[in-house]
Amino acid sequence: MADEQILTYKGHPLMRKDNFIYYGSMADSHIIMLQILETKKVGDLDVATKVSVQLQLTDPTAKSRDRIVKKGEKDGLYTALDFGCVWLERALAGK
């Protein structure tokens, strides 16, 4: 069996499923969920142009709508991931 490589960004794991990207660990109190809402073609690649960002609690006993702590929309994946990173760091630090 081949060793799996885990993709990380600024020390937290990234996982993608279709148009959703999860940033952070489920073992922590919060994660970031990014949803790619719009894309455009650049050459052969689809590039995200509109991305929804949500800071969510990982508590499995909370209702799904109560898990959302913060949300917003950003232009571009990098901008959305950068905002999500700041939100996650602040949430994990307890601020």
Side-chain angles (χ1 to χ4, degrees), residues 12-31:
H12 297 285
L14 282 165
M15 187 189 83
R16 181 175 180 176
K17 174 73 174 144
D18 300 324
N19 283 344
F20 292 94
I21 299 171
Y22 298 93
Y23 177 60
S25 172
M26 290 301 287
D28 293 332
S29 61
H30 294 79
I31 61 163

Side-chain angles (χ1 to χ4, degrees), residues 5 8 19 22 37 51 59-61 66 74 78 82 87 92:
Q5 290 185 345
T8 61
N19 283 344
Y22 298 93
L37 302 173
V51 181
D59 181 7
T61 62
D66 294 338
K74 299 295 174 192
Y78 180 77
D82 214 28
W87 287 356
L92 295 178

Side-chain angles (χ1 to χ4, degrees), residues 2-63:
D3 290 331
E4 284 188 36
Q5 290 185 345
I6 297 175
L7 182 63
T8 61
Y9 178 73
K10 294 188 178 181
H12 297 285
L14 282 165
M15 187 189 83
R16 181 175 180 176
K17 174 73 174 144
D18 300 324
N19 283 344
F20 292 94
I21 299 171
Y22 298 93
Y23 177 60
S25 172
M26 290 301 287
D28 293 332
S29 61
H30 294 79
I31 61 163
I32 294 292
M33 184 187 78
L34 305 167
Q35 181 181 8
I36 299 169
L37 302 173
E38 292 179 2
T39 60
K40 72 175 182 179
K41 280 279 194 197
V42 176
D44 293 338
L45 298 174
D46 288 327
V47 176
T49 55
K50 190 175 185 182
V51 181
S52 168
V53 184
Q54 292 183 0
L55 174 65
Q56 296 183 350
L57 292 169
T58 57
D59 181 7
T61 62
K63 294 180 185 175

Side-chain angles (χ1 to χ4, degrees), residues 69-86:
V69 177
K70 266 186 189 180
K71 62 183 177 178
E73 284 186 9
K74 299 295 174 192
D75 295 328
L77 182 60
Y78 180 77
T79 305
L81 186 56
D82 214 28
F83 268 83
C85 181
V86 171

